[in-house]
Amino acid sequence: MSRNAFIVMVMIAAVAAACSVATGMGARFGAGPMSHSDGWPDGLLDLCNSKSRVDGYWVNANTWCHFAGDAKAFNAFLNRYASLTPTPLRLILHPGPRRSNDGWTADKIVPSNWMLSILRRGWGAPEAKPGETGTYVVTLHLWLGGTIALQDLDVPLNVSVRSGTEIEKFVAEHEARQSLVPKEGGAEKPPAATPPGKPQ
């Protein structure tokens, strides 16, 4: 190999390394088996490798796994999720079917009903609060509609439930637009002044 060719190869490797640091490393692994579990809560890897998983990807220290199934399958999954430690246990409810592709399936959306987000502390997940331990925060997201309805859920008491806030944001944006519309009949008239000598 000539000296010039070697220099060019070194420069290409340096640019690639710089780009990977700037943009982050990641890969889509789909429904294939996973083996990475360094620092994960006990039982999480087996949960991610459930037969119901249909898609997944990782970026840097974080992982997202998507699953599909009916209410019975989800409740069974939820009960296994409720046994994970140490991580805050949180179920986030989203209205309607999942519509986003998370940037990893630009050509098509892989249908799914629920997702696990596995975020490393300091890499997307907040630092631990007093009394909290664990390197990762594992959150379960569920999109309602289709095969799973709200009334079908059986949520263990040690799992907190939160709204995905899509409905709240929609209502707030609608009310903000309403406030910009002039009231019918124009501006409200100020109250009439009380004539002198009459009690107010």
Side-chain angles (χ1 to χ4, degrees):
M1 178 185 297
S2 69
R3 183 173 182 272
N4 288 342
F6 177 75
I7 291 173
V8 170
M9 289 182 62
V10 169
M11 290 175 64
I12 291 172
V15 170
C19 290
S20 64
V21 170
T23 60
M25 299 290 287
R28 182 167 173 238
F29 50 81
M34 298 172 58
S35 58
H36 175 75
S37 61
D38 183 34
W40 282 12
D42 290 340
L44 178 57
L45 182 60
D46 288 339
L47 191 59
C48 288
N49 278 326
S50 299
K51 292 180 180 179
S52 53
R53 198 181 86 238
V54 293
D55 200 8
Y57 60 94
W58 62 268
V59 177
N60 294 328
N62 301 328
T63 303
W64 292 263
C65 295
H66 288 274
F67 305 83
D70 57 15
K72 181 178 179 181
F74 175 75
N75 283 328
F77 187 95
L78 177 57
N79 274 300
R80 292 175 63 191
Y81 168 75
S83 68
L84 296 180
T85 58
T87 175
L89 298 173
R90 193 169 293 124
L91 171 63
I92 310 295
L93 301 177
H94 302 274
R98 170 178 169 249
R99 296 185 181 277
S100 65
N101 60 21
D102 302 317
W104 286 94
T105 51
D107 54 339
K108 67 174 183 177
I109 297 175
V110 178
S112 65
N113 305 104
W114 67 91
M115 174 188 77
L116 279 180
S117 69
I118 307 162
L119 306 183
R120 188 179 175 91
R121 300 271 190 194
W123 286 75
E127 295 298 338
K129 297 178 182 178
E132 288 185 340
T133 60
T135 306
Y136 286 88
V137 174
V138 185
T139 305
L140 181 57
H141 294 256
L142 171 66
W143 283 265
L144 296 165
T147 60
I148 304 175
L150 187 63
Q151 62 267 26
D152 296 330
L153 301 184
D154 184 14
V155 183
L157 296 180
N158 65 325
V159 176
S160 65
V161 180
R162 300 283 186 273
S163 166
T165 72
E166 293 93 339
I167 292 176
E168 292 85 346
K169 288 178 182 176
F170 181 88
V171 171
E173 290 171 359
H174 180 71
E175 290 177 345
R177 289 194 301 271
Q178 283 181 320
S179 68
L180 301 176
V181 177
K183 293 187 177 179
E184 192 173 334
E188 294 182 1
K189 295 180 180 179
T194 304
K198 288 194 175 183
Q200 296 194 13

